[in-house]
Amino acid sequence: MHKIILYGLSISCFSNVQAVSANENQPSDAAQQTKKMGGLSGTPVNSAIAGGVTVPEKKLVTVFNASFRDKDSIVDDNGKGARTLSNDIYLLKLRYGFTDSVEFFMVPGYINNKLDSFNNTPSADVHGPTDFAFGGSYMFLGQRQGDPLSAAVTFAVNMPTGQQGANHPAGSDVWSYQAKIGMTKIWHPNHRFDTDIGFVQPTETGNGGVRKDTTLTWQGSYHYVFNDNFDVGLEFTLDKTQSSEKNGIGMRNGYTEMYVGPAANYCLPKWNMWLGVNVLFPVLRDYDIPTASDDIRIEVKLGKLWSW
């Protein structure tokens, strides 16, 4: 049953644009709450959170996510040390509403790794594409249709588009699949909550002869909406994975990480655009081996809703 739970590179993160049918004579309270809150207001900033809302029919959402992570804090050191590095991760999310309840998405990505020298290994600066994600979501409950909340299931595959090489991420450049369930609840006029729970499962050995194990994830976001232009919130992400294998031998590198931090969105309803920033700090870091970890993560999101 652990495989009813998600990712997320990956995938997707923005979750919204609320709409209520114009010909409804007596909309429910839940639908009215969704209608009264601005379409882009309160949406999660962190790229790992999608929530339970799909993009409305015949609308396209484009979102550019950037994540900056300096892994210079060595956790569970035991006197052995670990290689420190920094990651700059860039994602372009394309989400299209096929119907009001079904959306399809594509998430190409790019990563830049700056690795510090370690023992006899020199420093390096390598970059290249990530494993792209492609999938779809089905919203089986919709607050904009009058249900008490919105809920959606998502299925996706990650394609082997990552780079090969000694300094590129271990275990990448593989086919993998992911699934999740997401929920979104809006309380008029100021409150919005989104959460996802799911998993990512690689299906083959990737870069460096490493085969990763299942990653379980849980993310959440609460935002308080001051007006159509501005909201603030608190977001979290929790990842847990088992040990990978390298050339058939266990690497004993399983871990559990949880990051929590404030977020804010500035929306431009006239242009159907928004800019979000999220700063995350570690509250749980448990590693099986000495590991270089982030003391801070900075997430930036720039998005736009297109309709025709």
Side-chain angles (χ1 to χ4, degrees):
M1 292 298 295
H2 72 284
K3 297 207 171 173
I4 58 171
I5 350 185
L6 147 163
Y7 182 55
L9 150 135
S10 190
I11 304 196
S12 248
C13 290
F14 164 66
S15 52
N16 196 36
V17 181
Q18 315 294 340
V20 178
S21 175
N23 58 7
E24 277 186 327
N25 294 322
Q26 294 182 329
S28 69
D29 290 342
Q32 282 287 68
Q33 288 180 5
T34 308
K35 182 178 180 180
K36 291 176 181 178
M37 180 175 285
L40 304 175
S41 302
T43 56
V45 177
N46 189 278
S47 60
I49 308 172
V53 181
T54 55
V55 177
E57 183 177 4
K58 295 183 180 179
K59 296 185 184 294
L60 173 69
V61 170
T62 58
V63 181
F64 173 74
N65 284 100
S67 180
F68 306 100
R69 308 176 181 189
D70 287 329
K71 299 181 181 296
D72 54 8
S73 179
I74 301 175
V75 182
D76 294 334
D77 179 44
N78 297 324
K80 297 181 179 179
R83 192 174 192 179
T84 57
L85 68 152
S86 64
N87 301 132
D88 301 335
I89 305 170
Y90 306 98
L91 303 175
L92 177 62
K93 298 181 179 180
L94 308 172
R95 302 177 59 184
Y96 179 73
F98 185 71
T99 70
D100 268 347
S101 298
V102 177
E103 77 167 51
F104 296 105
F105 57 81
M106 173 73 173
V107 189
Y110 194 86
I111 184 170
N112 183 54
N113 298 298
K114 296 180 180 179
L115 301 97
D116 299 324
S117 59
F118 179 66
N119 292 336
N120 296 322
T121 306
S123 60
D125 187 353
V126 295
H127 48 84
T130 63
D131 292 339
F132 293 2
F134 177 79
S137 298
Y138 171 65
M139 184 174 65
F140 57 91
L141 293 176
Q143 193 170 347
R144 64 193 180 214
Q145 280 84 34
D147 293 317
L149 55 79
S150 298
V153 290
T154 296
F155 299 96
V157 295
N158 293 330
M159 297 173 282
T161 53
Q163 294 292 295
Q164 290 274 357
N167 290 316
H168 287 283
S172 64
D173 191 36
V174 298
W175 287 99
S176 61
Y177 62 91
Q178 53 187 279
K180 68 178 180 178
I181 184 168
M183 291 178 286
T184 297
K185 174 66 177 177
I186 292 174
W187 293 271
H188 172 71
N190 304 112
H191 309 279
R192 173 173 173 149
F193 174 74
D194 296 87
T195 190
D196 295 321
I197 187 168
F199 73 92
V200 181
Q201 178 63 60
T203 63
E204 56 186 339
T205 299
N207 184 41
V210 173
R211 179 165 184 157
K212 292 184 176 181
D213 207 332
T214 308
T215 299
L216 307 178
T217 64
W218 180 29
Q219 299 91 25
S221 166
Y222 165 76
H223 280 248
Y224 181 86
V225 179
F226 289 94
N227 52 53
D228 285 346
N229 298 108
F230 186 67
D231 61 77
V232 297
L234 186 70
E235 302 187 0
F236 74 86
T237 179
L238 173 65
D239 296 334
K240 180 177 179 60
T241 188
Q242 302 300 313
S243 174
S244 304
E245 291 186 352
K246 184 171 184 177
N247 301 321
I249 300 174
M251 300 175 67
R252 295 182 295 177
N253 61 346
Y255 67 86
T256 302
E257 291 180 331
M258 185 175 186
Y259 283 77
V260 178
N265 283 305
Y266 180 70
C267 301
L268 295 171
K270 179 179 179 181
W271 304 101
N272 285 329
M273 296 182 67
W274 77 105
L275 174 67
V277 178
N278 180 207
V279 181
L280 295 165
F281 303 94
V283 296
L284 173 62
R285 291 186 287 185
D286 182 20
Y287 304 98
D288 293 343
I289 59 175
T291 302
S293 181
D294 318 310
D295 283 327
I296 187 172
R297 294 178 181 176
I298 300 175
E299 307 275 338
V300 179
K301 173 181 282 188
L302 177 64
K304 179 173 174 58
L305 170 69
W306 307 82
S307 59
W308 48 82

